[in-house]
Amino acid sequence: MRLLDKVVMITGAGGDIGSAQCRLFAKEQAKLVITDIKRHRGVKLADEISREGGFALFVDLDVSSESDWEAAVSATLERFRKIDVLVNNAGIYNTEPIQDETAENWDQVLSINSKGAFLGTRAVVEPMRLMKRGSIINVASTTALVGSCRGGAYGASKAALLSLTKHTAIQNAEYGIRANAVIPGPIETDMIAENISDPKSRALSESRVPLGRLGAPLEVAYPILYLASDESSYVTGAELLVDGGLTAQ
Ligand SMILES: NC(=O)c1ccc[n+]([C@@H]2O[C@H](COP(=O)([O-])OP(=O)(O)OC[C@H]3O[C@@H](n4cnc5c(N)ncnc54)[C@H](O)[C@@H]3O)[C@@H](O)[C@H]2O)c1
């Protein structure tokens, strides 16, 4: 019961890492606010969790939309009167090398991956300040730390999240609000399915990881659970690597 009575809002919650968090947090007695741009996935997940005795509300939310954030936070407060935890988990991936990247695509990736987290942070900080507590968790990526032969916008968007995390932590510490980032390496989800679709590229990805394999969504959900719970009450502004040792070498 590590999240007993905590209201936890998760963006992109219908995706693989998001739904792993939802299922895990429901078992820990959280009241879940499942949000996603893909309504069918979120509704299905909320139904599944409710059927199994958990507590889940689905709210439509495109994280890049200011008005969606206002509506989603209002709906959450109307229902639960508080928000204890926000996980900025929604994201899109891209692998275009910088030389071939379009300005429109760059804007879109940053708009969802980093501006989305900024809008969410700004929207929940006020109700959290009133409660004098809260935990905000941003899901970054090892691409924020190291370069790669593909991509650019994605890594840049995740690097912005790391800075957002530290600024949020410093500006809200006096209000009892903590902000932390998790930094996953390659995790076996829809997002990277194309990258690892043939055995050769899968083997290459695995060979780069000291633990010798890709991570599973639940292996990212557990560190997020720790940061969401009161067990991490003295942890703020931190970056928790969840990468099988990828960036330790
Ligand atoms: N899979 C990996 O290897 C990996 C590695 C590092 C970080 N991450 C990060 O983990 C997070 C979860 O990714 P995942 O692997 O579960 O991918 P996923 O594609 O399964 O899930 C992403 C979710 O985000 C949602 N989403 C996309 N655009 C949105 C928007 N504008 N508003 C709201 N929701 C939106 C999608 O509908 C989807 O449900 C992402 O932030 C991703 O960047 C993933």
Side-chain angles (χ1 to χ4, degrees), residues 88 110 113-115 117-118 121 136 138-141 144-145 155-172 179-183 236-239:
N88 284 311
L110 268 82
N113 293 2
S114 21
K115 190 180 86 178
F118 148 67
T121 299
I136 298 171
N138 294 322
V139 182
S141 158
L145 306 176
S157 73
K158 295 297 188 178
L161 273 186
L162 297 182
S163 179
L164 173 71
T165 303
K166 289 193 192 303
H167 283 81
T168 305
I170 298 304
Q171 291 168 22
N172 292 283
N180 293 289
V182 293
I183 309 183
T236 195
E239 296 172 351

Side-chain angles (χ1 to χ4, degrees), residues 101-230:
E101 187 60 283
T102 64
E104 292 73 23
N105 197 45
W106 179 277
D107 283 346
Q108 196 202 9
V109 173
L110 268 82
S111 170
I112 293 170
N113 293 2
S114 21
K115 190 180 86 178
F118 148 67
L119 292 175
T121 299
R122 199 181 59 179
V124 300
V125 150
E126 218 42 62
M128 285 181 174
R129 282 184 176 186
L130 290 174
M131 293 196 306
K132 289 244 165 238
R133 65 167 191 277
S135 172
I136 298 171
I137 299 139
N138 294 322
V139 182
S141 158
T142 48
T143 59
L145 306 176
V146 291
S148 153
C149 52
R150 291 186 298 179
Y154 180 77
S157 73
K158 295 297 188 178
L161 273 186
L162 297 182
S163 179
L164 173 71
T165 303
K166 289 193 192 303
H167 283 81
T168 305
I170 298 304
Q171 291 168 22
N172 292 283
E174 66 182 291
Y175 301 99
I177 302 169
R178 300 181 294 109
N180 293 289
V182 293
I183 309 183
I187 309 298
E188 193 151 5
T189 73
D190 264 6
M191 185 171 272
I192 64 159
E194 219 179 288
N195 283 3
I196 52 165
S197 55
D198 69 281
K200 215 169 142 193
S201 38
R202 186 189 178 94
L204 182 65
S205 290
E206 289 173 341
S207 71
R208 292 192 180 120
V209 181
L211 286 182
R213 61 177 177 84
L214 306 175
L218 193 58
E219 292 178 299
V220 182
Y222 270 111
I224 296 176
L225 169 61
Y226 164 69
L227 293 170
S229 77
D230 294 337

Side-chain angles (χ1 to χ4, degrees), residues 17 33 61 65 93 157 162 201 239:
I17 295 174
V33 183
L61 173 61
S65 158
Y93 188 49
S157 73
L162 297 182
S201 38
E239 296 172 351

